[in-house]
Amino acid sequence: MSRPKPKWKGLGMVPALVIHGSPIVRHRELVECRRWHTPITVLTPEGLLPALQEIPGAPDPKLVASLAERAAFLLPEA
């Protein structure tokens, strides 16, 4: 059974990976990727919260709900 793909507008995204047990100095590193136009941020679990706290502005509950919907669509439970 296929699900209709929801439309998401105005959801700015920045690719990032959080890797448990990674030997990253200072908990953050930028990595070039051939298939992406800007470097991808690689974080340790300890670096995730500080990185999120650096995002300017206050969270918008509607955008948060849209992002949660998008994540659930793209990463369905097995």
Side-chain angles (χ1 to χ4, degrees):
M1 178 169 135
S2 65
R3 297 180 292 167
K5 184 175 181 179
K7 295 184 181 351
W8 297 284
K9 294 182 180 181
L11 298 178
M13 299 267 190
V14 175
L17 296 171
V18 179
I19 302 177
H20 179 72
S22 59
I24 297 172
V25 177
R26 286 176 264 150
H27 306 294
R28 179 186 302 193
E29 188 170 321
L30 293 176
V31 178
E32 295 289 332
C33 180
R34 290 181 297 201
R35 296 182 183 216
W36 193 256
H37 60 281
T38 59
I40 295 174
T41 302
V42 180
L43 302 159
T44 63
E46 298 81 14
L48 179 59
L49 182 58
L52 293 174
Q53 290 172 329
E54 290 174 6
I55 297 171
D60 179 335
K62 289 181 183 178
L63 288 179
V64 171
S66 294
L67 285 171
E69 179 186 351
R70 183 172 188 180
F73 178 82
L74 295 173
L75 305 167
E77 293 183 35

